[in-house]
Amino acid sequence: MEQGSRVKTLGLSLSLLLAGALPALASTGSGEPAEFVNLTGTTLGIFALILFVAAYTLVIFEEKLHMRKSKPVMLAAGIIWVLVALAYAAIGDTHTPHVAIKANLIEYAELFLFLLAAMTYINAMDERNVFQALRSWLVGRGFTLRTVFWLTGLLAFIISPVADNLTTALLMGAVVMAVGGNNRKFMIVACINIVVGANAGGAFSPFGDITTLMVWQKGKVDFAEFFAIFVPSLLNWVIPAAIMSMSVAKERPEAMAEAIGMKVGAKRIMFLFLCTIITAVSFHNFLHLPPATGMMLGLGYLGFFSYYLKVKEHRLLKGGDQPLDIIGHNPDEHERPAPGHDHGGHGPLAGFDLFRKVARAEWDTLLFFYGVVLCVGGLGQFGYLAVTSHFMYTGLGATTANVMVGLLSAIVDNIPVMFAVLTMDPHMSHGQWLLVTLTAGVGGSLLSIGSAAGVALMGTARGIYTFGNHLKWSWAVALGYVASVICHLWINARHF
């Protein structure tokens, strides 16, 4: 992990420092060159860059320092915008920073509300034992190790477009750890397969990864157009999976008698989540409103249904039809049945509470995105993104640049990389926007530290799924990466 952190830090530092040494020329969304105020060589500009690199270094060493990743980037974001304001004030411009930071805040607000609604639904399904029931079903089937290898990878590819790659990787990783037992070799390749499958599945859906969500909300790719990279994404997973499966034995581990049922209302919550997705897509495609507003409407669906569940479970608890006393309601912290009670909602539960699901959202992650958006936006005001855009998309060409984005996302992180590309807004064909969406999504699979799915599994499968063990199979993952790029350039040639 330490080796991976040093590599990631070095890659980030080199990429951003390189940007500061390039000529000052921007590419606008219309494709025409536009002049900008180049402050990359100023003392304040250089200090802002160093501050961001330092903050992101602390993010990388989160597990070592036990400091939440949101804290350094939030601090850096605030200071960077102070530096932006001072730099522009020195040249007599106090208007530009104000307009720029408001634009960044609007972008973040849309992302925040969308993710908050999605995370609340995921937490609600988790509390209703949806994922635990799936896990117990897989563990109790008595499949061979090779079958489990393919099933967990396939499910990671299928589930991540609807949920997200992080949740999917943790769920499938739990299955692998439960089935694998002492078979370390199986668990290593199975975890790698899950990470690749989850990232590949998330690449062709706006809901599968933060990067695809940003691309969709920015209007660069429409909802249905994401499916144009389904086949390249599938190849990205199938090729390394086929190679790694050769090392998995066909032995059949002992079946585990672990039966967990879903709680009352679980299926209806899944249906409401599907309705919420349809609502968000309809808001974007037909009403031309931000998808986040549709997601918040969908959260309203869950809010009303949560009231029904709360009343129903309270009545079951009391054994009658008394009204629910909301005042003073203090359910158990995790809202889980006590040991020995059933999982169907008939135990001593205080009722389903929507706001507890909201509280359980990944607030560290949500605030981390705030820091990333404002840090990258601030560096953009100094001119770093414009000069990087000129170097990559004008100097190297769009195809080479977009392939490099995927490689860079394995070292740095695909979220700031993709946000930087969207902020640069280079003039590209539709096929190129699909390409960078694909590469940023699947490029993180090249290293264990390149995606949230990989980092999360390194934490839960500590000592088994490691940076070094993943690196041994990176050549197979790289073959899938190359194949997916070639496949996209071929089958989607009409979009270029």
Side-chain angles (χ1 to χ4, degrees), residues 136-270:
S136 68
W137 182 85
L138 286 171
V139 170
R141 294 302 96 184
F143 296 125
T144 66
L145 291 181
R146 186 171 291 185
T147 302
V148 172
F149 173 89
W150 278 105
L151 271 178
T152 51
L154 178 62
L155 286 172
F157 184 82
I158 293 173
I159 295 174
S160 61
V162 180
D164 63 83
N165 54 5
L166 173 59
T167 302
T168 303
L170 291 176
L171 170 64
M172 293 296 107
V175 174
V176 165
M177 300 299 288
V179 174
N182 296 322
N183 194 325
R184 180 183 175 89
K185 184 178 180 181
F186 161 74
M187 288 189 287
I188 290 172
V189 293
C191 284
I192 298 171
N193 184 42
I194 288 168
V195 170
V196 175
N199 289 335
F204 69 88
S205 165
F207 299 88
D209 195 7
I210 304 301
T211 56
T212 55
L213 175 59
M214 290 191 294
V215 171
W216 181 45
Q217 290 200 144
K218 198 75 171 180
K220 297 300 181 183
V221 179
D222 290 336
F223 183 85
E225 293 171 338
F226 278 93
F227 295 100
I229 55 178
F230 170 79
V231 175
S233 298
L234 182 63
L235 279 180
N236 181 268
W237 165 63
V238 167
I239 290 176
I243 295 172
M244 290 187 292
S245 68
M246 302 297 181
S247 66
V248 180
K250 293 184 179 180
E251 64 182 85
R252 191 183 302 274
E254 183 179 350
M256 302 178 67
E258 181 185 6
I260 298 179
M262 292 188 292
K263 295 180 184 179
V264 61
K267 293 179 180 178
R268 280 169 283 185
I269 290 177
M270 287 190 283

Side-chain angles (χ1 to χ4, degrees), residues 37-74:
V37 180
N38 185 0
L39 302 173
T40 57
T42 63
T43 302
L44 293 176
I46 294 172
F47 180 58
L49 178 61
I50 294 173
L51 183 64
F52 177 64
V53 172
Y56 212 84
T57 301
L58 293 177
V59 171
I60 292 166
F61 287 98
E62 177 185 8
E63 291 188 8
K64 283 286 183 183
L65 300 173
H66 302 290
M67 178 190 292
R68 299 264 185 192
K69 61 181 177 290
S70 60
K71 295 178 180 179
V73 292
M74 287 177 65

